[in-house]
Amino acid sequence: MSATQRDLCHHSCVLPYTAYLRIYQPIGSFPWEERLHWERYADSSDRPRRINALAAEHAESLERLVAAPPVVAPAEESRNAYLRRVDGRLYVCPWQTRLRSWQAFSEFADATPPSLSEAFVPESEAERTEEAYRSWLDSGAQVRPGILSSNWTVPVPWFAAFEGQERCLVLSADTTRTLLYLTRTSLAVRRLEHTSGVLREYIGQHAASGSTEGLVDWLRLTAHPDSLLELDYGGLPHLLSDDHLNDDHSVAEVSEALRALADGDTERVLELRERMLRRWRFVKALEHAN
């Protein structure tokens, strides 16, 4: 890691206000060479530790974007990953920086007029990025991103994949501010399917389609049956007070709202919905103020 990266990692304020949904694959699910790499990586003293991993990933991206000219995506895929050990077993979530950068730029280019996008990315770099991504796709590569991201908010369907007791909040004097949930992917799929069923039965087919079923498809196509799923509030806790974070039980509220919907308790559903809207309305207001 460069001196610039170490300095950025030391200052959590550089984190983007982004939440993440990550799949951690069991080490045994990787091809042999990749498995050896990740086992060595896990034993390395040079890799970003868990507490600094997100800041280290962001530092890499920031170094590319402030370069002259900016570099949208690295020439090679990242060899870094988020790691977890559960019951003595190693789980790995590769950063996939190049793939995720390609996809993010593709979405940006589709949504932005060329005259405006050139103000952010020179035409030559945009063409290089598009050609590299197109060549990768034409090669028949089937790798899918194991990380989803969301700026300034956590999509409501993400909450439905977890339960309240899987919550972990860390607020410490050394500026560590973390709110996350961790579960088995198999449980997450079951909960999301249950959510779709409840919405379909009590609200209508349109309510069950889209984001919730899209998450199920993503997990079924991407995740190993024994994998883990993590919801990480990422940089959002740096926007919010300790009281706000202590009171944030969005996962439990979504679960309760689904039960109330199934029980026909419309008043409770509306009460919980308003509570969540009020909480996340505050965060969205900060986005516009920023």
Side-chain angles (χ1 to χ4, degrees):
M1 187 186 299
S2 69
T4 301
Q5 286 176 312
R6 284 195 297 270
D7 183 61
L8 286 170
C9 288
H10 188 66
H11 295 84
S12 60
C13 61
V14 305
L15 288 176
Y17 300 130
T18 304
Y20 302 90
L21 198 60
R22 303 188 186 101
I23 297 171
Y24 287 77
Q25 311 282 15
I27 187 65
S29 68
F30 290 91
W32 180 247
E33 288 189 4
E34 286 187 58
R35 177 177 178 175
L36 288 178
H37 167 74
W38 295 127
E39 287 175 340
R40 295 191 192 103
Y41 179 84
D43 292 335
S44 171
S45 60
D46 294 332
R47 66 175 175 84
R49 313 321 284 183
R50 173 77 196 177
I51 193 172
N52 289 325
L54 179 56
E57 183 188 2
H58 179 53
E60 280 191 4
S61 299
L62 198 59
E63 284 189 337
R64 291 198 315 274
L65 295 178
V66 299
V71 178
V72 172
E76 297 181 351
E77 190 54 275
S78 175
R79 302 290 282 170
N80 286 313
Y82 295 95
L83 303 178
R84 279 194 171 276
R85 289 189 185 275
V86 176
D87 297 330
R89 192 178 187 187
L90 177 63
Y91 293 82
V92 182
C93 177
W95 286 3
Q96 297 177 299
T97 307
R98 186 179 65 168
L99 174 58
R100 290 165 58 213
S101 297
W102 279 339
Q103 294 183 333
F105 179 74
S106 180
E107 293 171 3
F108 167 78
D110 289 343
T112 309
S115 58
L116 182 58
S117 64
E118 288 176 13
F120 296 92
V121 181
E123 184 178 0
S124 59
E125 175 63 12
E127 290 177 350
R128 185 194 71 82
T129 302
E130 290 170 352
E131 181 179 352
Y133 187 28
R134 187 163 50 248
S135 296
W136 183 84
L137 291 172
D138 290 344
S139 72
Q142 297 295 317
V143 179
R144 297 179 179 85
I147 302 176
L148 301 182
S149 59
S150 174
N151 296 329
W152 293 98
T153 190
V154 180
V156 172
W158 291 15
F159 294 129
F162 301 88
E163 289 191 350
Q165 66 267 27
E166 294 163 345
R167 179 176 185 265
C168 176
L169 174 65
V170 178
L171 303 173
S172 62
D174 66 355
T175 72
T176 299
R177 303 179 67 78
T178 302
L179 177 54
L180 57 83
Y181 292 80
L182 183 70
T183 193
R184 296 280 175 184
T185 301
S186 56
L187 292 176
V189 169
R190 196 178 309 159
R191 292 164 185 163
L192 288 167
E193 290 178 334
H194 170 72
T195 298
S196 292
V198 171
L199 294 176
R200 186 181 301 111
E201 181 175 355
Y202 293 96
I203 297 181
Q205 178 64 36
H206 68 283
S209 62
S211 299
T212 303
E213 293 185 347
L215 279 182
V216 172
D217 291 342
W218 173 63
L219 291 173
R220 288 198 178 282
L221 291 171
T222 309
H224 186 276
D226 294 329
S227 62
L228 306 175
L229 185 67
E230 176 186 76
L231 166 56
D232 182 358
Y233 274 45
L236 293 178
H238 297 283
L239 281 173
L240 307 170
S241 68
D242 289 5
D243 287 344
H244 187 111
L245 291 168
N246 279 311
D247 291 340
D248 186 334
H249 294 275
S250 298
V251 164
E253 289 166 2
V254 167
S255 296
E256 185 178 351
L258 283 170
R259 288 193 296 271
L261 181 61
D263 292 340
D265 189 349
T266 305
E267 183 177 341
R268 183 58 175 161
V269 173
L270 293 176
E271 178 186 343
L272 290 164
R273 179 177 181 274
E274 179 56 33
R275 183 187 301 175
M276 289 192 63
L277 286 175
R278 193 164 52 244
R279 178 183 302 126
W280 291 101
R281 191 182 296 128
F282 167 78
V283 180
K284 295 294 287 184
L286 293 176
E287 174 187 10
H288 296 299
N290 188 63

